[in-house]
Amino acid sequence: QAGRMHVADVDPDGRIWAMLTDWVSGRGFTATEQGDLFLSAMVAVEPVKLNNDYENLSWELNLTLLDYFGSPAITLPASGRSSGISDSAAEDRAYFDMTETVRKDFDRAFNAYLNSFLDK
């Protein structure tokens, strides 16, 4: 039976929550209201004025995975800047970059967390 993982986020559009629940399912866990692990995401996207002809945004994504005992198992802060020909294009790029952060960096950290149990 797969473990259960509660996924929570502070994301006005719910886009990161949807992506994280897909990631959780892809890792063989069930996203539930209550779980053995607690994954939270804090998202901030803000306009930035740069000297170019594009719409620019800065983004921050802070991911935290709490273990069964409520202790932080993984903390991953990430930030970046995205640009596009419109606000929506820049925002889409920001969310794409945040998704890639989860798929690569957070996934790597999660693998290391799981492997730490095998080393004992």
Side-chain angles (χ1 to χ4, degrees):
Q1 176 179 346
R4 297 174 307 147
M5 191 179 303
H6 177 78
V7 180
D9 76 306
V10 178
D11 173 19
D13 298 332
R15 290 167 75 170
I16 293 299
W17 182 86
M19 182 270 302
L20 286 174
T21 55
D22 286 346
W23 178 85
V24 165
S25 297
R27 294 305 311 236
F29 287 80
T30 302
T32 61
E33 284 297 313
Q34 302 212 353
D36 305 317
L37 300 170
F38 181 84
L39 176 58
S40 67
M42 297 284 288
V43 177
V45 179
E46 296 179 352
V48 175
K49 291 289 183 199
L50 297 176
N51 193 16
N52 63 25
D53 295 331
Y54 298 98
E55 300 301 321
N56 305 283
L57 298 173
S58 69
W59 59 265
E60 288 185 41
L61 173 65
N62 290 294
L63 297 165
T64 303
L65 180 72
L66 301 179
D67 67 14
Y68 182 78
F69 303 103
S71 300
I74 302 171
T75 303
L76 180 71
S79 61
R81 216 178 259 156
S82 64
S83 298
I85 57 172
S86 66
D87 286 337
S88 62
E91 185 175 292
D92 286 346
R93 182 65 201 188
Y95 279 94
F96 175 83
D97 290 346
M98 285 186 263
T99 298
E100 287 300 297
T101 297
V102 171
R103 289 188 179 147
K104 293 178 181 171
D105 300 334
F106 189 76
D107 197 66
R108 188 178 311 116
F110 189 71
N111 282 337
Y113 170 68
L114 294 179
N115 287 334
S116 72
F117 295 105
L118 299 176
D119 295 338
K120 293 182 180 179

